[in-house]
Amino acid sequence: MSKPSVLCLGEVLFDCLADQLGLKLEEVKSWTPYPGGAPANVACALVKLGTSAGFMGAVGEDEPGNKLVKLLQDVGVDTTGVQRHPTAPTRQVYVTRDSGGDRTFAGFGKYDTSEFADTYLQSAKLSPALFAEADFLVLGTLELAYPESEQAVLRSLELAEQYNLKIILDVNWRPVFWQDENTAKTKILALLKRFDFLKLTKEEAQWLFDTTDPGAITYRLNSLEGVLVTDGEHGCAYCLGENEGKMPAFSMSVIDTTGAGDGFLAGFIYQLQQVGIKNLKDAETAKRIVTYASAVGALTTIKPGAIASQPTAAEVDNFLASHQL
């Protein structure tokens, strides 16, 4: 098997989705577990589109961990970077959904957020050989909340810089994983100069930069090749190679929005590899890339679960042939 061209570091977990819509956590009668975790979602979506991807993260030596590793392998994701923790459990997150399918993270059951295996990701066990062959590193911010996994994030940045990978941050900030919001903000802002591309939601942009304008964010950091600001059903705004634009979302019959942003990011990375980063300077190319990413994100919402619903490249092409924004 060829070495993965995109490395995704962070969490793989089970999203336990409420079977009943519109209820609070304590009112939900039953849950269905779906594999998820933003970096794992991106890795799976990339493979389905036709780009080789590897996942680096930690799971427990337990049945949920076994299932998640097998799922990644069945999809075709390289799992040589997966670490197993002998005693900590694999993370499960409980997710309630409103009547429109939009989700709210509602807790971790009987465990504290810091007790899960992904928080013990070991920096010393990250494989330089994986970085030597890759083109991109994709990171979130969840693992910055815990001392050991934070060191693994910092080590991955060192390796990515050493081997000239393009580094993409999907902020994916979730207050439920952090004890203190200001600590989160400080840690994230301190690292931003080390990234080449930044994807964040409208709310995250406002929180970190007091603006939702991707051009303003690009100008402020002066080190980014692209910024993507997503806003769910309202579409997205972008600044790529100095080309700025806004794009509406495709109109879909939404079942579950879990993983839509991860599908969007995978579509973006897939297109970057197809057309080359230098071609972002062409306004039409930049627009076409974002349109493709939007289509992948939209198609991810029409079935439950983040990974099961991800489209193939052929499905995206067919969708784009019959749908105009």
Side-chain angles (χ1 to χ4, degrees):
M1 185 175 169
S2 63
K3 294 284 186 188
S5 62
V6 183
L7 300 176
C8 302
L9 182 141
E11 69 281 4
V12 63
L13 49 80
F14 276 107
D15 285 316
C16 298
L17 297 190
D19 293 327
Q20 297 80 36
L21 300 184
L23 297 182
K24 296 177 184 162
L25 175 68
E26 58 275 9
E27 297 170 339
V28 175
K29 296 177 179 60
S30 60
W31 309 81
T32 299
Y34 290 96
N41 293 343
V42 173
C44 289
L46 280 165
V47 170
K48 292 182 184 185
L49 291 171
T51 291
S52 59
F55 174 74
M56 300 180 291
V59 296
E61 291 277 11
D62 52 16
E63 193 52 34
N66 294 340
K67 285 181 176 176
L68 289 170
V69 172
K70 184 178 186 305
L71 169 88
L72 291 170
Q73 291 170 342
D74 288 347
V75 170
V77 174
D78 184 295
T79 57
T80 54
V82 174
Q83 302 174 21
R84 305 296 293 260
H85 194 279
T87 56
T90 300
R91 188 181 291 272
Q92 297 191 59
V93 183
Y94 289 86
V95 181
T96 55
R97 294 185 289 166
D98 67 18
S99 55
D102 281 327
R103 70 245 155 93
T104 302
F105 290 91
F108 304 99
K110 63 182 179 180
Y111 293 103
D112 181 79
T113 179
S114 63
E115 293 181 87
F116 293 101
D118 61 271
T119 70
Y120 297 104
L121 184 64
Q122 301 291 299
S123 59
K125 292 182 180 176
L126 295 178
S127 167
L130 282 173
F131 288 82
E133 300 285 340
D135 301 313
F136 291 90
L137 171 66
V138 180
L139 294 168
T141 62
L142 187 157
E143 304 306 346
L144 293 173
Y146 314 102
E148 288 189 63
S149 54
E150 180 183 18
Q151 290 306 308
V153 169
L154 297 176
R155 176 61 178 151
S156 76
L157 287 172
E158 288 175 3
L159 288 165
E161 289 161 354
Q162 180 183 337
Y163 290 105
N164 281 327
L165 278 67
K166 292 294 182 181
I167 310 172
I168 300 172
L169 178 69
D170 177 4
V171 173
N172 201 34
W173 183 68
R174 302 279 182 259
V176 70
F177 295 106
W178 292 81
Q179 292 182 335
D180 176 56
E181 179 176 325
N182 289 325
T183 301
K185 191 171 186 178
T186 301
K187 285 187 176 184
I188 294 166
L189 288 172
L191 291 176
L192 288 179
K193 291 278 187 190
R194 300 178 75 173
F195 298 101
D196 300 292
F197 292 91
L198 181 62
K199 174 196 163 284
L200 62 176
T201 64
K202 187 178 179 182
E203 294 77 15
E204 290 164 348
Q206 193 65 48
W207 176 61
L208 286 171
F209 301 105
D210 295 317
T211 179
T212 61
D213 182 341
I217 295 168
T218 304
Y219 180 76
R220 190 178 307 180
L221 287 172
N222 197 32
S223 57
L224 292 166
E225 298 183 53
V227 174
L228 301 159
V229 178
T230 60
D231 189 19
E233 65 188 25
H234 304 294
C236 66
Y238 62 90
C239 181
L240 298 171
E242 299 182 2
N243 292 300
E244 294 185 54
K246 290 187 175 177
M247 192 165 291
F250 288 98
S251 180
M252 309 295 285
S253 297
V254 173
I255 299 296
D256 176 23
T257 59
T258 308
D262 306 326
F264 176 93
L265 182 58
F268 173 73
I269 298 167
Y270 170 74
Q271 283 291 301
L272 269 192
Q273 284 209 304
Q274 297 294 306
V275 306
I277 290 172
K278 64 181 185 297
N279 290 317
L280 289 175
K281 298 217 176 289
D282 177 70
E284 278 306 307
T285 300
K287 184 179 179 182
R288 198 161 57 245
I289 287 172
V290 178
T291 303
Y292 190 96
S294 299
V296 179
L299 287 166
T300 306
T301 68
I302 58 177
K303 298 177 196 166
I307 294 173
S309 54
Q310 293 166 341
T312 63
E315 288 169 334
V316 181
D317 290 341
N318 289 338
F319 177 81
L320 285 170
S322 58
H323 291 74
Q324 297 293 319
L325 274 176

